[in-house]
Each structure stands twice: as structure tokens, then as C-alpha cells.
């Protein structure tokens, strides 16, 4: 894992298309601004995990339904 230090209004780039900017820092919370192309999904990790679990459940259900 790459660990970087940034201050408010500073950014990092991921590849040529994704820019992450530190918008605000308050106590132990950091607000990020993310500029990315529309074809790149950007989610908080807990939302991403929920989406992946839903996909797995759907695939398992579809596979089970196809075997009946």
C-alpha cells in the first residue's frame, strides 16, 4: 500500500484520469473530492462490498434456479 501525506486543497493522481483532492480535514475525518470519468465507478468501500455481495447472491440464485 502506498501511503501519502497531503494537506487541504492538495491532490493525488491515479493514472491520467482520476484526481483525488483533500477538500477538508476536521478532527479524525477527511473529506475527499474525486474527479473520475463516468465509466469508472467510485464508491465508499462498504457500499462497494454490499454491491459485490448482492452480485454474488444474484449469481448464486441464478445458478440454483437454472439447475431446477
Amino acid at each position: 500500500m502506498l501511503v501519502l501525506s497531503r494537506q487541504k486543497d492538495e491532490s493525488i493522481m491515479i493514472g491520467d484520469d482520476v484526481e483525488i483532492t483533500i477538500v477538508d480535514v476536521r478532527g479524525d475525518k477527511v473529506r475527499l473530492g474525486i474527479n473520475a470519468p463516468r465509466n469508472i465507478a467510485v464508491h465508499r468501500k462498504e457500499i462497494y462490498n454490499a454491491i459485490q455481495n448482492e452480485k454474488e447472491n444474484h449469481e448464486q440464485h441464478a445458478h440454483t434456479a437454472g439447475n431446477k
Side-chain angles (χ1 to χ4, degrees):
M1 173 188 298
L2 174 64
V3 178
L4 301 171
S5 296
R6 299 278 69 201
Q7 294 181 1
K8 185 177 176 184
D9 297 326
E10 293 182 334
S11 298
I12 62 170
M13 295 297 298
I14 299 176
D16 294 329
D17 297 331
V18 179
E19 179 180 12
I20 301 174
T21 303
I22 306 303
V23 175
D24 194 19
V25 179
R26 291 185 187 176
D28 63 347
K29 295 211 177 204
V30 177
R31 294 185 73 202
L32 303 174
I34 302 168
N35 285 322
R38 290 192 178 273
N39 65 327
I40 297 178
V42 178
H43 301 287
R44 296 185 324 234
K45 187 165 184 179
E46 62 272 18
I47 301 299
Y48 173 81
N49 288 341
I51 292 168
Q52 295 306 309
N53 287 337
E54 191 66 29
K55 284 181 182 178
E56 288 175 13
N57 290 339
H58 180 72
E59 289 172 2
Q60 288 175 354
H61 179 70
H63 180 67
T64 304
N67 288 334
K68 289 185 179 181

